[in-house]
Amino acid sequence: MNVKYPYLPESKKFLYVSEDNPFMQAAKETARVLSTDKMQSTGAVVVKDNKILGRGANQVLLKHPKLQEFHRKGFCPRKALKIKSGTKYWMCLGCSTNKDHAESQAIDDAKNKGNDTTGADLYLWGHWWCCKPCWDNIIAAGIGNTYLLEGSERLFNAESKDNVIGRQFN
């Protein structure tokens, strides 16, 4: 597969699984239930020895539904300033900061439960790549493989005409 990711560490790669994979289904359900970003809902699970160690979903700081809707309809300082994806999340309360991304949330959840994440895998649903801070967290946690949904580069990429962003649970 020849996908041009906005960021990918030299030593890392993504692996892909179908939507019927039970851990990808768990990541999707985590996004549906726990994400506070209803436009780009993202969920992740950390898995080791066929057991889910931690779950996480992206979180936004905007809690009021009307402000969330305003953000969904296009008011985003990062977008207005054409800020590169994966950077400067602090500029917009409607965008999740990297510590509030699904990957980081799942890793923190696993560790807070006393689980060793070394050698675990991470399944990410709702996005098609990981930003540098999330990759840094994945690597620091000793996570081996990072799995995305097959076709995620089309489904969850805003630049793709086939994307399902904002309609991913319909």
Side-chain angles (χ1 to χ4, degrees), residues 126-145:
H127 212 355
W128 64 285
W129 66 288
C130 301
C131 66
K132 182 181 183 319
C134 286
W135 267 118
D136 291 345
N137 288 342
I138 290 167
I139 293 166
I143 295 197
N145 295 313

PDB file of all heavy atoms in Angstrom, residues 126-145:
ATOM      1  N   GLY A 126     -11.168   5.473  13.189  1.00  0.00           N
ATOM      2  CA  GLY A 126     -11.652   6.839  13.023  1.00  0.00           C
ATOM      3  C   GLY A 126     -10.611   7.805  12.494  1.00  0.00           C
ATOM      4  O   GLY A 126     -10.901   8.982  12.304  1.00  0.00           O
ATOM      5  N   HIS A 127      -9.411   7.317  12.259  1.00  0.00           N
ATOM      6  CA  HIS A 127      -8.367   8.159  11.692  1.00  0.00           C
ATOM      7  C   HIS A 127      -7.506   7.315  10.765  1.00  0.00           C
ATOM      8  O   HIS A 127      -7.575   6.093  10.779  1.00  0.00           O
ATOM      9  CB  HIS A 127      -7.518   8.788  12.795  1.00  0.00           C
ATOM     10  CG  HIS A 127      -6.990  10.153  12.443  1.00  0.00           C
ATOM     11  ND1 HIS A 127      -7.158  10.743  11.223  1.00  0.00           N
ATOM     12  CD2 HIS A 127      -6.272  11.042  13.181  1.00  0.00           C
ATOM     13  CE1 HIS A 127      -6.586  11.942  11.216  1.00  0.00           C
ATOM     14  NE2 HIS A 127      -6.035  12.144  12.391  1.00  0.00           N
ATOM     15  N   TRP A 128      -6.671   7.977   9.958  1.00  0.00           N
ATOM     16  CA  TRP A 128      -5.882   7.255   8.967  1.00  0.00           C
ATOM     17  C   TRP A 128      -4.379   7.397   9.178  1.00  0.00           C
ATOM     18  O   TRP A 128      -3.582   6.917   8.382  1.00  0.00           O
ATOM     19  CB  TRP A 128      -6.276   7.690   7.561  1.00  0.00           C
ATOM     20  CG  TRP A 128      -5.990   9.131   7.235  1.00  0.00           C
ATOM     21  CD1 TRP A 128      -6.688  10.218   7.670  1.00  0.00           C
ATOM     22  CD2 TRP A 128      -4.961   9.638   6.408  1.00  0.00           C
ATOM     23  NE1 TRP A 128      -6.138  11.374   7.174  1.00  0.00           N
ATOM     24  CE2 TRP A 128      -5.078  11.049   6.380  1.00  0.00           C
ATOM     25  CE3 TRP A 128      -3.938   9.051   5.672  1.00  0.00           C
ATOM     26  CZ2 TRP A 128      -4.226  11.863   5.661  1.00  0.00           C
ATOM     27  CZ3 TRP A 128      -3.091   9.880   4.953  1.00  0.00           C
ATOM     28  CH2 TRP A 128      -3.246  11.267   4.946  1.00  0.00           C
ATOM     29  N   TRP A 129      -3.991   8.024  10.304  1.00  0.00           N
ATOM     30  CA  TRP A 129      -2.579   8.174  10.643  1.00  0.00           C
ATOM     31  C   TRP A 129      -2.494   8.652  12.083  1.00  0.00           C
ATOM     32  O   TRP A 129      -3.503   8.962  12.701  1.00  0.00           O
ATOM     33  CB  TRP A 129      -1.879   9.142   9.690  1.00  0.00           C
ATOM     34  CG  TRP A 129      -2.354  10.577   9.795  1.00  0.00           C
ATOM     35  CD1 TRP A 129      -3.546  11.079   9.369  1.00  0.00           C
ATOM     36  CD2 TRP A 129      -1.659  11.677  10.375  1.00  0.00           C
ATOM     37  NE1 TRP A 129      -3.644  12.421   9.641  1.00  0.00           N
ATOM     38  CE2 TRP A 129      -2.482  12.816  10.260  1.00  0.00           C
ATOM     39  CE3 TRP A 129      -0.409  11.821  10.974  1.00  0.00           C
ATOM     40  CZ2 TRP A 129      -2.115  14.071  10.711  1.00  0.00           C
ATOM     41  CZ3 TRP A 129      -0.047  13.068  11.427  1.00  0.00           C
ATOM     42  CH2 TRP A 129      -0.883  14.183  11.287  1.00  0.00           C
ATOM     43  N   CYS A 130      -1.272   8.710  12.632  1.00  0.00           N
ATOM     44  CA  CYS A 130      -1.038   9.208  13.994  1.00  0.00           C
ATOM     45  C   CYS A 130      -0.083  10.396  13.924  1.00  0.00           C
ATOM     46  O   CYS A 130       0.909  10.355  13.190  1.00  0.00           O
ATOM     47  CB  CYS A 130      -0.399   8.131  14.873  1.00  0.00           C
ATOM     48  SG  CYS A 130      -1.339   6.618  15.045  1.00  0.00           S
ATOM     49  N   CYS A 131      -0.359  11.426  14.700  1.00  0.00           N
ATOM     50  CA  CYS A 131       0.529  12.586  14.743  1.00  0.00           C
ATOM     51  C   CYS A 131       1.820  12.229  15.496  1.00  0.00           C
ATOM     52  O   CYS A 131       1.901  11.208  16.177  1.00  0.00           O
ATOM     53  CB  CYS A 131      -0.171  13.782  15.376  1.00  0.00           C
ATOM     54  SG  CYS A 131      -0.574  13.582  17.125  1.00  0.00           S
ATOM     55  N   LYS A 132       2.821  13.084  15.387  1.00  0.00           N
ATOM     56  CA  LYS A 132       4.114  12.814  16.021  1.00  0.00           C
ATOM     57  C   LYS A 132       3.999  12.616  17.532  1.00  0.00           C
ATOM     58  O   LYS A 132       4.564  11.654  18.065  1.00  0.00           O
ATOM     59  CB  LYS A 132       5.122  13.912  15.700  1.00  0.00           C
ATOM     60  CG  LYS A 132       6.497  13.638  16.311  1.00  0.00           C
ATOM     61  CD  LYS A 132       7.476  14.735  16.021  1.00  0.00           C
ATOM     62  CE  LYS A 132       8.860  14.450  16.542  1.00  0.00           C
ATOM     63  NZ  LYS A 132       8.998  13.846  17.832  1.00  0.00           N
ATOM     64  N   PRO A 133       3.281  13.490  18.282  1.00  0.00           N
ATOM     65  CA  PRO A 133       3.180  13.250  19.724  1.00  0.00           C
ATOM     66  C   PRO A 133       2.539  11.898  20.061  1.00  0.00           C
ATOM     67  O   PRO A 133       2.953  11.244  21.014  1.00  0.00           O
ATOM     68  CB  PRO A 133       2.333  14.413  20.233  1.00  0.00           C
ATOM     69  CG  PRO A 133       2.541  15.502  19.231  1.00  0.00           C
ATOM     70  CD  PRO A 133       2.683  14.789  17.915  1.00  0.00           C
ATOM     71  N   CYS A 134       1.566  11.462  19.282  1.00  0.00           N
ATOM     72  CA  CYS A 134       0.949  10.152  19.535  1.00  0.00           C
ATOM     73  C   CYS A 134       1.932   9.035  19.219  1.00  0.00           C
ATOM     74  O   CYS A 134       2.038   8.067  19.972  1.00  0.00           O
ATOM     75  CB  CYS A 134      -0.350  10.001  18.754  1.00  0.00           C
ATOM     76  SG  CYS A 134      -1.696  10.969  19.474  1.00  0.00           S
ATOM     77  N   TRP A 135       2.671   9.164  18.097  1.00  0.00           N
ATOM     78  CA  TRP A 135       3.693   8.158  17.801  1.00  0.00           C
ATOM     79  C   TRP A 135       4.725   8.114  18.916  1.00  0.00           C
ATOM     80  O   TRP A 135       5.178   7.039  19.312  1.00  0.00           O
ATOM     81  CB  TRP A 135       4.373   8.439  16.465  1.00  0.00           C
ATOM     82  CG  TRP A 135       3.751   7.728  15.314  1.00  0.00           C
ATOM     83  CD1 TRP A 135       3.169   8.289  14.221  1.00  0.00           C
ATOM     84  CD2 TRP A 135       3.651   6.309  15.117  1.00  0.00           C
ATOM     85  NE1 TRP A 135       2.710   7.322  13.368  1.00  0.00           N
ATOM     86  CE2 TRP A 135       2.999   6.093  13.889  1.00  0.00           C
ATOM     87  CE3 TRP A 135       4.042   5.204  15.862  1.00  0.00           C
ATOM     88  CZ2 TRP A 135       2.735   4.818  13.386  1.00  0.00           C
ATOM     89  CZ3 TRP A 135       3.784   3.929  15.372  1.00  0.00           C
ATOM     90  CH2 TRP A 135       3.139   3.749  14.147  1.00  0.00           C
ATOM     91  N   ASP A 136       5.119   9.279  19.421  1.00  0.00           N
ATOM     92  CA  ASP A 136       6.086   9.315  20.523  1.00  0.00           C
ATOM     93  C   ASP A 136       5.548   8.549  21.731  1.00  0.00           C
ATOM     94  O   ASP A 136       6.284   7.789  22.372  1.00  0.00           O
ATOM     95  CB  ASP A 136       6.412  10.760  20.917  1.00  0.00           C
ATOM     96  CG  ASP A 136       7.211  11.501  19.852  1.00  0.00           C
ATOM     97  OD1 ASP A 136       7.759  10.865  18.932  1.00  0.00           O
ATOM     98  OD2 ASP A 136       7.276  12.753  19.949  1.00  0.00           O
ATOM     99  N   ASN A 137       4.255   8.714  22.041  1.00  0.00           N
ATOM    100  CA  ASN A 137       3.629   7.986  23.156  1.00  0.00           C
ATOM    101  C   ASN A 137       3.572   6.481  22.876  1.00  0.00           C
ATOM    102  O   ASN A 137       3.810   5.668  23.770  1.00  0.00           O
ATOM    103  CB  ASN A 137       2.224   8.514  23.439  1.00  0.00           C
ATOM    104  CG  ASN A 137       2.241   9.875  24.083  1.00  0.00           C
ATOM    105  OD1 ASN A 137       3.245  10.308  24.630  1.00  0.00           O
ATOM    106  ND2 ASN A 137       1.116  10.567  24.018  1.00  0.00           N
ATOM    107  N   ILE A 138       3.241   6.115  21.652  1.00  0.00           N
ATOM    108  CA  ILE A 138       3.167   4.706  21.259  1.00  0.00           C
ATOM    109  C   ILE A 138       4.540   4.042  21.423  1.00  0.00           C
ATOM    110  O   ILE A 138       4.662   2.964  22.004  1.00  0.00           O
ATOM    111  CB  ILE A 138       2.644   4.572  19.808  1.00  0.00           C
ATOM    112  CG1 ILE A 138       1.162   4.958  19.746  1.00  0.00           C
ATOM    113  CG2 ILE A 138       2.876   3.175  19.255  1.00  0.00           C
ATOM    114  CD1 ILE A 138       0.628   5.171  18.332  1.00  0.00           C
ATOM    115  N   ILE A 139       5.558   4.706  20.934  1.00  0.00           N
ATOM    116  CA  ILE A 139       6.918   4.170  21.019  1.00  0.00           C
ATOM    117  C   ILE A 139       7.376   4.098  22.473  1.00  0.00           C
ATOM    118  O   ILE A 139       7.913   3.077  22.913  1.00  0.00           O
ATOM    119  CB  ILE A 139       7.873   5.015  20.148  1.00  0.00           C
ATOM    120  CG1 ILE A 139       7.511   4.821  18.664  1.00  0.00           C
ATOM    121  CG2 ILE A 139       9.329   4.657  20.431  1.00  0.00           C
ATOM    122  CD1 ILE A 139       8.146   5.831  17.721  1.00  0.00           C
ATOM    123  N   ALA A 140       7.142   5.165  23.251  1.00  0.00           N
ATOM    124  CA  ALA A 140       7.548   5.184  24.668  1.00  0.00           C
ATOM    125  C   ALA A 140       6.838   4.101  25.472  1.00  0.00           C
ATOM    126  O   ALA A 140       7.405   3.559  26.431  1.00  0.00           O
ATOM    127  CB  ALA A 140       7.279   6.564  25.269  1.00  0.00           C
ATOM    128  N   ALA A 141       5.614   3.761  25.077  1.00  0.00           N
ATOM    129  CA  ALA A 141       4.847   2.722  25.780  1.00  0.00           C
ATOM    130  C   ALA A 141       5.296   1.314  25.399  1.00  0.00           C
ATOM    131  O   ALA A 141       4.831   0.341  25.986  1.00  0.00           O
ATOM    132  CB  ALA A 141       3.356   2.887  25.496  1.00  0.00           C
ATOM    133  N   GLY A 142       6.196   1.212  24.419  1.00  0.00           N
ATOM    134  CA  GLY A 142       6.676  -0.105  24.003  1.00  0.00           C
ATOM    135  C   GLY A 142       5.700  -0.876  23.144  1.00  0.00           C
ATOM    136  O   GLY A 142       5.795  -2.096  23.011  1.00  0.00           O
ATOM    137  N   ILE A 143       4.752  -0.162  22.553  1.00  0.00           N
ATOM    138  CA  ILE A 143       3.746  -0.814  21.716  1.00  0.00           C
ATOM    139  C   ILE A 143       4.402  -1.298  20.422  1.00  0.00           C
ATOM    140  O   ILE A 143       5.169  -0.563  19.799  1.00  0.00           O
ATOM    141  CB  ILE A 143       2.561   0.144  21.452  1.00  0.00           C
ATOM    142  CG1 ILE A 143       1.907   0.401  22.789  1.00  0.00           C
ATOM    143  CG2 ILE A 143       1.642  -0.384  20.374  1.00  0.00           C
ATOM    144  CD1 ILE A 143       0.568   0.946  22.834  1.00  0.00           C
ATOM    145  N   GLY A 144       4.082  -2.533  20.058  1.00  0.00           N
ATOM    146  CA  GLY A 144       4.698  -3.145  18.884  1.00  0.00           C
ATOM    147  C   GLY A 144       4.054  -2.716  17.589  1.00  0.00           C
ATOM    148  O   GLY A 144       4.650  -2.023  16.782  1.00  0.00           O
ATOM    149  N   ASN A 145       2.812  -3.106  17.370  1.00  0.00           N
ATOM    150  CA  ASN A 145       2.122  -2.833  16.105  1.00  0.00           C
ATOM    151  C   ASN A 145       0.987  -1.842  16.304  1.00  0.00           C
ATOM    152  O   ASN A 145       0.329  -1.847  17.339  1.00  0.00           O
ATOM    153  CB  ASN A 145       1.550  -4.134  15.527  1.00  0.00           C
ATOM    154  CG  ASN A 145       2.638  -5.108  15.153  1.00  0.00           C
ATOM    155  OD1 ASN A 145       3.618  -4.755  14.517  1.00  0.00           O
ATOM    156  ND2 ASN A 145       2.473  -6.354  15.564  1.00  0.00           N
TER     157      ASN A 145
END
